[in-house]
Amino acid sequence: MTLAGARERRVRTGGIELCVAELGAPERPTVVLVHGYPDSKEVWSEVAARLADRFHVVLYDVRGHGRSTAPRPLRGGFTLEKLTDDFLAVVDAVSPDRPVHVVGHDWGSVQSWEFVTVRRTEGRVASFTSLSGPSLDHFGHWIAGRLRRPTPRRAAQLLGQGARSWYVYLLHTPVLPELAWRGPLGKRWPALLERFEKVPGGDHPAPSLPTDAAHGAWLYRDNVRARLRRPRQDPYAHVPVQLITPLGDAFLSPQLYDELERWAPRLTRRTLPAGHWTPRTRPDQLTAWVTEFVTAVEGGRSEVTTGGRHADRFGGQLVVVTGAGDGVGRATALAFAEAGARVMAVDRDAESAARTAELARLMGASAAWAETVDVSDERAMEKLAERTAAAHGVVDVLVNTAGVGLSGSFLDTTAEDWRRLLDVNLFGVIHSCRLFGGQMAERGQGGHIVNIAATASHRPTRASRALPAYITSKTAVLTLSECLRAELADRGIGVSAVCHGPDRSANWAPEKVAQAVVEAVTDNKGVVRRRWPKRVRNR
């Protein structure tokens, strides 16, 4: 992995040299990306390349990692105080006249919490985005609070985080971590990341991994025990903070951040259904959130908020809705827009799709656009999936609402009627699930698919006599959804079927269906069923 087009410089500080890379125009706001353990700055390459279109992006190898030199002796050379010295030296070199926006992952986040809570950095940092790395001071207070006021829930939280932190204990042992990283662990690490974290292969991590990891063990030894036992009493963030919490992080419990508002009053929370190495697995999502947050702070706002109740879950996520030109499709697109998602409105009617995208932007979507496609056209759907992935990344949530209705008895329905209806209602769903779902599976970081079925799909009613073709198509969609749910569960992809009655029925107005869709994704529900209104069931 390389930082294509990066400008490199060496910054001297505290007897070492730091390797610093820059992308983008220096006159733009500066975003500093700080890597974690056992990575080097190249872990940020995908995010850095995307941010460089809008910002002056700076990355550096933490002391003892990548192409930066290591302190001698190693013991005592990796304290948070010395890491802060390094950060200030880099900032003074790359942005002497303006504060910078910091984004930290893993140990990059741990040390960045120090940068934004000590007095000597005030005025040099404009904002901080934290990924998978708590402040050791906050962590220490979190532990102390649970020990002082124990409850069954708090005890479970302590035990749970203690189990997730197994590697910390190992890294404190003498010599063994160094031998492991320079031996079998270092050789197998890329394969382990790809298997368990779904990190794409290639030339990640850096060739310096064994040495980086051996040196980086001192990050833990020099800091963890001391800070957890005696945390600072005033570790308050003096800048706006954006916290991004991967819900699938194998090393850090989301509950670790329950009381963070105490220490970071200007806090924006985000959650992401992903694993620990989000800079490599979800660069598009991180880029969108960092861009939005930095732009807001540069514009004088300290938080990024939307009116939707699910903004922390879907803000910035890519949501594709087929049949979004009106009815349930439009209502669904707007529901995700209100939660701050990036919304792609797909419909065969260009004017209706464009209107939905316009409304989505007004409702709070972080981005919204329209695509004109007939979902029954397999080749057109293939081109749409390819175009979407190339321009916007892999879809996070796919909602298939596109469909056509057909009334009339079975004997009055022609073969051509059947073909036309099944092409849209069934094969449109098949094309969409196969193409976008395949991209989700290949990415390896999960996702969700929602297919719209009908209430009568699982419980035929008297009304079914007038809708045999429609009900048959929707029953097939329900069965397909249940099969897909079973098949894709191991890949972390949820599949839901939302069964509803006529769009204008009393119980199932489009807005209510849309809310059911959002909740189906949030709660990973398999099938959402509602009865038709009594006057419809008994017709």
Side-chain angles (χ1 to χ4, degrees), residues 83-137:
L83 295 171
T84 304
D85 292 340
D86 294 350
F87 168 75
L88 288 173
V90 171
V91 170
D92 288 344
V94 301
S95 183
D97 302 319
R98 295 179 62 183
V100 303
H101 301 268
V102 182
V103 183
H105 173 251
D106 187 81
W107 252 95
S109 178
V110 173
Q111 60 180 294
S112 294
W113 276 111
E114 185 83 358
F115 306 161
V116 302
T117 58
V118 295
R119 292 187 180 277
R120 62 190 176 117
T121 59
E122 290 189 45
R124 299 302 289 124
V125 182
S127 75
F128 171 41
T129 295
S130 170
L131 295 161
S132 296
S135 160
L136 293 182
D137 295 305

Side-chain angles (χ1 to χ4, degrees), residues 20-34 44 47-48 50-52 54-60 87 90-91 94-95 98-104 124-129 242 286-287 289-295 298:
V20 180
E22 299 175 68
L23 298 92
E27 63 271 15
R28 295 173 180 166
T30 298
V31 177
V32 179
L33 305 175
V34 190
W44 286 111
V47 175
R50 290 162 170 79
L51 288 174
R54 295 279 300 273
F55 305 107
H56 173 216
V57 182
V58 176
L59 316 87
Y60 67 96
F87 168 75
V90 171
V91 170
V94 301
S95 183
R98 295 179 62 183
V100 303
H101 301 268
V102 182
V103 183
R124 299 302 289 124
V125 182
S127 75
F128 171 41
T129 295
Q242 175 175 225
L286 296 186
T287 299
W289 278 339
V290 170
T291 298
E292 183 181 11
F293 187 60
V294 170
T295 301
E298 285 287 316

Side-chain angles (χ1 to χ4, degrees), residues 40-364:
S40 61
K41 66 180 181 299
E42 280 73 22
V43 75
W44 286 111
S45 61
E46 297 287 340
V47 175
R50 290 162 170 79
L51 288 174
D53 292 336
R54 295 279 300 273
F55 305 107
H56 173 216
V57 182
V58 176
L59 316 87
Y60 67 96
D61 288 321
V62 171
R63 55 171 53 202
H65 295 70
R67 296 171 60 192
S68 293
T69 59
R72 291 290 182 265
L74 294 174
R75 181 188 298 273
F78 291 84
T79 63
L80 288 170
E81 291 78 10
K82 291 181 178 178
L83 295 171
T84 304
D85 292 340
D86 294 350
F87 168 75
L88 288 173
V90 171
V91 170
D92 288 344
V94 301
S95 183
D97 302 319
R98 295 179 62 183
V100 303
H101 301 268
V102 182
V103 183
H105 173 251
D106 187 81
W107 252 95
S109 178
V110 173
Q111 60 180 294
S112 294
W113 276 111
E114 185 83 358
F115 306 161
V116 302
T117 58
V118 295
R119 292 187 180 277
R120 62 190 176 117
T121 59
E122 290 189 45
R124 299 302 289 124
V125 182
S127 75
F128 171 41
T129 295
S130 170
L131 295 161
S132 296
S135 160
L136 293 182
D137 295 305
H138 300 166
F139 195 1
H141 287 290
W142 185 87
I143 293 172
R146 278 148 184 77
L147 292 175
R148 283 196 304 268
R149 297 182 297 277
T151 65
R153 178 175 176 271
R154 290 185 165 197
Q157 290 179 346
L158 276 174
L159 291 173
Q161 183 55 54
R164 290 172 185 250
S165 299
W166 59 269
Y167 62 97
V168 177
Y169 315 127
L170 292 179
L171 287 167
H172 277 84
T173 60
V175 182
L176 182 61
E178 286 86 343
L179 292 176
W181 280 113
R182 297 183 191 278
L185 183 56
K187 295 177 181 177
R188 296 178 183 174
W189 187 246
L192 292 172
L193 283 182
E194 189 164 2
R195 179 178 178 183
F196 295 107
E197 283 281 328
K198 310 303 180 186
V199 172
D203 54 355
H204 176 78
S208 57
L209 169 68
T211 301
D212 297 345
H215 289 163
W218 288 100
L219 291 167
Y220 295 85
R221 296 165 181 168
D222 280 352
N223 298 288
V224 173
R225 287 179 178 172
R227 284 298 180 93
L228 294 187
R229 289 172 178 170
R230 294 180 297 278
R232 290 185 295 137
Q233 296 303 306
D234 61 344
Y236 299 101
H238 49 68
V239 300
V241 176
Q242 175 175 225
L243 175 72
I244 300 176
T245 305
L247 298 176
D249 196 321
F251 308 106
L252 295 166
S253 166
Q255 286 73 41
L256 192 59
Y257 306 101
D258 283 351
E259 299 152 13
L260 190 57
E261 279 82 0
R262 171 187 175 188
W263 307 110
R266 292 178 289 173
L267 180 65
T268 296
R269 286 181 178 268
R270 306 285 202 185
T271 59
L272 186 62
H276 183 78
W277 265 272
T278 49
R280 290 286 289 124
T281 59
R282 302 303 292 273
D284 293 300
Q285 180 69 82
L286 296 186
T287 299
W289 278 339
V290 170
T291 298
E292 183 181 11
F293 187 60
V294 170
T295 301
V297 173
E298 285 287 316
R301 292 185 290 141
S302 61
E303 298 177 44
V304 176
T305 58
T306 62
R309 56 181 288 216
H310 297 291
D312 66 330
R313 171 67 169 79
F314 297 112
Q317 290 203 359
L318 178 56
V319 178
V320 170
V321 182
T322 69
D326 59 9
V328 170
R330 173 172 286 178
T332 299
L334 298 185
F336 281 105
E338 190 176 7
R342 295 179 293 149
V343 176
M344 186 170 80
V346 179
D347 201 275
R348 63 183 179 183
D349 185 304
E351 185 176 346
S352 297
R355 177 57 178 162
T356 297
E358 179 184 3
L359 291 171
R361 288 189 288 271
L362 293 173
M363 290 291 289

Side-chain angles (χ1 to χ4, degrees), residues 467-498:
L467 303 166
Y470 176 80
I471 296 301
T472 297
S473 69
K474 290 300 184 179
T475 301
V477 168
L478 173 59
T479 302
L480 171 65
S481 301
E482 292 175 325
C483 293
L484 276 179
R485 184 174 177 84
E487 178 177 337
L488 298 178
D490 290 343
R491 296 175 179 263
I493 300 172
V495 181
S496 303
V498 174

